[in-house]
């Protein structure tokens, strides 16, 4: 039990904690929580993502006070927010760009996990809860994008909700039930608004589970080895990582502000400033940039149902990653072959993203099919086989060892001895 030694200093604190050991719980998870001392800046994105979620909830709540979820009034209500509500333009730009930066941060967070093998035993559940968070993020972002009721909102909703009609036997019934009518109209908008409001709170609940599941086995680290209990391998979360996370968050907020104040519409699509028109299809229907790789996978299959199955599988397969990766070594630092395939996979996803933004024909379609095939091959063929064939580098005995050996080498070159203690003074 991480938090059993906490004693509140004030009488009020003691009174409260004896009746509900909430302070005990928070203290144990936040302050003395032992954290590997070698975490790099890629580990700061958990905190950054928490900030993103809270920002989306706060700005979303205020936007909801001025938004009208009705097909005839939604577009005008968003314009009203932009023009008439005090700082409404700021709230909306923070919310819209916040969604984009949320995904930017989550992709980095996932990429870090893939590189350092953070999804492996004993951390499988943390990863699986993370996949569920990602799924809820996708649903929430999609529904949120429909709300302004511009051209991309309307046609994006039309394209994606129509995918349900591909389900054998029940497809059409499900689609009609989803729409609440026979086309994309007010009923769909109203229910999307309701769900868009609800889901962030579900995400928040899952985030609490995600952190709880993380704090049972503790953090992974860049070396991908277990910390030696009672050694110098860990430092208390506060102040070391509180400060490091805070610094990273400040840098992130500066980048965030850069988008909001200088290029607030660069990540969006200009067609969404045209009111929804069911009689006029936009020339290119494209989702927001963070969905493009999955959109490319969807379009790479000529069959509607096949495309849907493949797109869903592209996300679902992530949940099975802890078992598809057969290697006992976590960190790519000690897996020379995996490291190369890892970067190939990242390049493949970026390529899929680019192809998702292009017209799905000719060379784009052919390359899209190859890139889609490789996406799945990475998980189904490359990762399982590497575990058996890859010759891994020898792992250090402890987190401190790589640091100490570097220092010892330096000292030897300088002609003086070094003690293990010296490095941390």
């Amino acid at each position: 039990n991480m938090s059993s030694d906490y004693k509140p200093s004030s009488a009020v604190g003691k009174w409260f904690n004896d009746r509900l050991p909430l302070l005990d719980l928070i203290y144990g998870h936040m302050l003395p929580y032992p954290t590997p001392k070698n975490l790099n800046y890629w580990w700061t994105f958990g905190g950054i993502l928490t900030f993103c979620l809270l920002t989306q909830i706060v700005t979303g709540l205020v936007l909801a006070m001025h938004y009208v979820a009705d097909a005839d009034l939604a577009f005008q209500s968003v314009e009203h927010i932009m023009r008439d509500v005090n700082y409404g333009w700021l709230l909306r730009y923070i919310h819209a760009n916040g969604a984009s930066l949320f995904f930017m941060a989550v992709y980095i967070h996932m990429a870090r996990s893939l590189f350092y093998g953070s999804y492996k035993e004993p951390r499988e559940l943390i990863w699986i809860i993370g996949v569920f968070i990602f799924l809820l993020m996708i649903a929430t972002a999609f529904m949120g994008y429909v709300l302004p009721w511009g051209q991309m909102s309307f046609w994006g909703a039309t394209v994606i909700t129509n995918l349900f009609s591909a389900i054998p036997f029940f497809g059409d019934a499900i689609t009609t039930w989803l729409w609440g009518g026979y086309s994309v109209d007010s009923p769909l908008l109203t229910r999307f608004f309701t769900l868009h409001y609800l889901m962030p709170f579900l995400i928040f609940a899952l985030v609490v589970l995600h952190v709880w599941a993380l704090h049972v086995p503790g953090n992974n680290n860049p070396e991908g080895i277990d910390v030696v209990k009672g050694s110098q391998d860990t430092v208390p979360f506060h102040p070391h990582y509180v400060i490091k996370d805070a610094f990273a968050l400040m840098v992130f907020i500066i980048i965030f502000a850069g988008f909001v104040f200088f290029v607030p519409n660069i990540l969006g699509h200009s067609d969404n400033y045209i009111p929804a028109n069911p009689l006029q299809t936009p020339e290119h229907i494209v989702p927001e940039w963070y969905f493009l790789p999955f959109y490319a996978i969807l379009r790479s299959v000529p069959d509607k149902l096949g495309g849907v199955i493949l797109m869903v599988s592209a996300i679902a397969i992530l949940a099975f990653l802890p078992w598809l990766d057969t290697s006992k070594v976590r960190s790519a630092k000690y897996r020379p072959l995996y490291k190369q395939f890892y970067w190939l996979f990242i390049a493949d996803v970026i390529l899929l993203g680019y192809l998702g933004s292009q017209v799905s024909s000719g060379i784009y379609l052919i390359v899209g099919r190859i890139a889609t095939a490789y996406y799945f091959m990475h998980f189904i063929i490359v990762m399982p086989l590497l575990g058996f064939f890859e010759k891994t580098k020898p792992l250090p005995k402890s987190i401190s060892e790589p640091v100490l050996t570097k220092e010892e080498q330096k000292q030897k070159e300088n002609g003086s001895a070094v003690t293990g203690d010296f490095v941390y003074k």
Side-chain angles (χ1 to χ4, degrees):
N1 181 9
M2 276 182 299
S3 48
S4 55
D5 58 347
Y6 177 64
K7 295 281 175 284
S9 51
S10 71
V12 177
K14 187 180 178 330
W15 179 88
F16 182 88
N17 207 53
D18 288 345
R19 284 149 187 82
L20 181 68
L22 191 65
L23 301 171
D24 211 9
L25 189 75
I26 293 169
Y27 176 84
H29 278 279
M30 295 302 285
L31 304 180
Y33 170 70
T35 318
K37 69 178 175 193
N38 62 335
L39 300 188
N40 57 39
Y41 275 100
W42 300 116
W43 260 264
T44 59
F45 281 88
I48 287 168
L49 285 162
T50 310
F51 166 81
C52 285
L53 177 61
L54 294 175
T55 303
Q56 291 305 90
I57 288 174
V58 172
T59 53
L61 283 173
V62 186
L63 287 168
M65 295 172 190
H66 301 278
Y67 174 76
V68 185
D70 179 273
D72 296 327
L73 305 168
F75 189 89
Q76 279 316 116
S77 79
V78 174
E79 283 303 304
H80 160 69
I81 289 167
M82 291 295 283
R83 293 158 189 262
D84 308 327
V85 175
N86 290 333
Y87 292 100
W89 59 272
L90 182 60
L91 282 166
R92 180 172 179 229
Y93 280 154
I94 289 173
H95 197 74
N97 286 283
S100 261
L101 283 148
F102 203 165
F103 275 94
M104 216 174 274
V106 88
Y107 286 138
I108 294 171
H109 191 60
M110 290 161 76
R112 187 270 297 164
S113 195
L114 285 173
F115 188 85
Y116 292 110
S118 303
Y119 50 85
K120 294 191 194 191
E121 192 264 333
R123 297 180 180 83
E124 306 95 329
L125 252 182
I126 310 168
W127 173 257
I128 290 166
I129 294 167
V131 174
F132 278 108
I133 293 171
F134 182 52
L135 275 167
L136 278 179
M137 277 178 66
I138 289 171
T140 308
F142 164 64
M143 290 181 182
Y145 192 64
V146 173
L147 302 184
W149 215 239
Q151 273 289 65
M152 279 298 162
S153 295
F154 179 88
W155 289 98
T158 304
V159 169
I160 301 301
T161 53
N162 259 305
L163 296 179
F164 286 92
S165 66
I167 298 167
F169 308 117
F170 313 108
D172 288 339
I174 290 170
T175 311
T176 307
W177 172 76
L178 187 73
W179 284 344
Y182 297 105
S183 64
V184 172
D185 211 331
S186 260
L188 181 86
L189 181 61
T190 314
R191 53 194 64 183
F192 269 22
F193 178 58
T194 309
L195 291 171
H196 183 69
Y197 199 118
L198 169 73
M199 282 181 173
F201 298 100
L202 299 180
I203 292 173
F204 186 78
L206 279 183
V207 168
V208 172
L209 272 185
H210 192 58
V211 175
W212 183 13
L214 166 72
H215 284 195
V216 176
N219 294 66
N220 182 31
N221 63 81
E223 302 302 315
I225 54 173
D226 295 333
V227 293
V228 180
K229 289 276 187 293
S231 71
Q232 286 187 323
D233 281 356
T234 61
V235 290
F237 185 78
H238 178 77
H240 299 78
Y241 287 112
V242 170
I243 298 298
K244 187 165 186 162
D245 281 8
F247 175 70
L249 180 60
M250 288 304 154
V251 174
F252 179 80
I253 288 171
I254 290 167
I255 295 165
F256 195 152
F259 278 104
V260 169
F261 292 111
F262 294 107
V263 280
N265 291 300
I266 201 165
L267 297 169
H269 199 294
S270 55
D271 277 19
N272 226 32
Y273 281 104
I274 303 167
N277 181 356
L279 301 177
Q280 187 189 2
T281 315
E283 204 177 337
H284 300 303
I285 300 172
V286 283
E288 292 286 77
W289 69 268
Y290 38 82
F291 293 150
L292 289 173
F294 303 111
Y295 192 54
I297 290 171
L298 171 75
R299 295 192 306 176
S300 69
V301 187
D303 176 61
K304 189 174 178 181
L305 180 61
V308 174
I309 291 169
L310 217 60
M311 180 172 70
V312 173
S313 308
I315 300 160
I317 198 167
L318 294 170
F320 299 96
L321 199 52
W323 297 277
L324 290 168
D325 186 348
T326 51
S327 175
K328 290 282 172 278
V329 177
R330 290 192 190 109
S331 176
K333 276 174 92 170
Y334 301 100
R335 298 184 62 190
L337 267 178
Y338 172 72
K339 194 193 263 188
Q340 293 179 359
F341 279 110
Y342 171 84
W343 289 114
L344 200 58
F345 174 73
I346 297 293
D348 185 61
V349 173
I350 292 168
L351 175 64
L352 278 168
Y354 169 72
L355 294 166
S357 69
Q358 301 301 309
V359 181
S360 185
S361 62
I363 188 75
Y364 292 120
L365 185 61
I366 296 159
V367 177
R369 285 173 180 170
I370 296 164
T372 298
Y374 186 77
Y375 178 93
F376 287 98
M377 276 163 59
H378 177 82
F379 294 117
I380 297 166
I381 299 167
V382 175
M383 286 185 112
L385 290 180
L386 275 182
F388 298 110
F389 296 113
E390 184 176 36
K391 191 168 172 10
T392 56
K393 292 180 185 172
L395 292 171
K397 288 183 194 64
S398 74
I399 282 174
S400 310
E401 196 194 40
V403 182
L404 287 175
T405 37
K406 267 186 200 160
E407 282 297 329
E408 277 163 8
Q409 285 302 117
K410 260 191 215 154
Q411 294 299 324
K412 270 183 194 153
E413 284 158 22
N414 299 343
S416 62
V418 62
T419 63
D421 200 29
F422 168 82
V423 183
Y424 308 105
K425 285 238 167 88

